[in-house]
Amino acid sequence: MRYPVALALTLLTETPVYTAALTWVGRVRPRRAAAAGVLVNLMTHPLLWWTLRHWTDGPAAAYWTGFALSETSVVVVEALLLCPITGLRPRDPLPWIASGTANAVSLLAGLLLGG
């Protein structure tokens, strides 16, 4: 999958998850919630893409280890980035749940589309 397609897929799948979670549960205004979803992805996606490209030439075990570590790091960073944007606190469960769910949705979409 080419980078622009991967980024578009990520934004199309994760932004609605962030918007729904932050609006309904976190009482964040819809525009701010959607903007938060886009912003955190624009900050993490390029680095994730670049990092994963370096794991593809090695053995499968190295790729999947790198993949797991990279995705986990993205969930953590996105959850922490959500806090100042939305006014939530890092000890609140919502940023962590929203980030984990959004990233799981986009990961599943990418796998289903063969990326």
Side-chain angles (χ1 to χ4, degrees):
M1 184 178 301
R2 294 177 185 247
Y3 181 76
V5 175
L7 178 60
L9 179 63
T10 297
L11 293 173
L12 286 171
T13 56
E14 289 193 25
T15 302
V17 173
Y18 277 123
T19 303
L22 296 172
T23 301
W24 294 337
V25 180
R27 296 187 176 94
V28 176
R29 292 180 182 196
R31 277 190 178 163
R32 186 178 208 85
V38 170
L39 286 172
V40 299
N41 276 291
L42 291 178
M43 296 176 83
T44 60
H45 196 272
L47 183 58
L48 174 66
W49 188 263
W50 179 80
T51 302
L52 289 178
R53 286 287 178 206
H54 291 293
W55 291 101
T56 57
D57 292 335
Y63 174 78
W64 289 110
T65 301
F67 181 82
L69 291 171
S70 297
E71 284 290 339
T72 301
S73 298
V74 166
V75 168
V76 170
V77 170
E78 288 184 7
L80 292 172
L81 287 171
L82 283 175
C83 294
I85 298 169
T86 62
L88 297 168
R89 296 180 304 246
R91 70 174 184 245
D92 292 333
L94 181 57
W96 304 96
I97 294 168
S99 178
T101 303
N103 281 281
V105 168
S106 67
L107 172 62
L108 180 59
L111 291 173
L112 289 173
L113 292 175

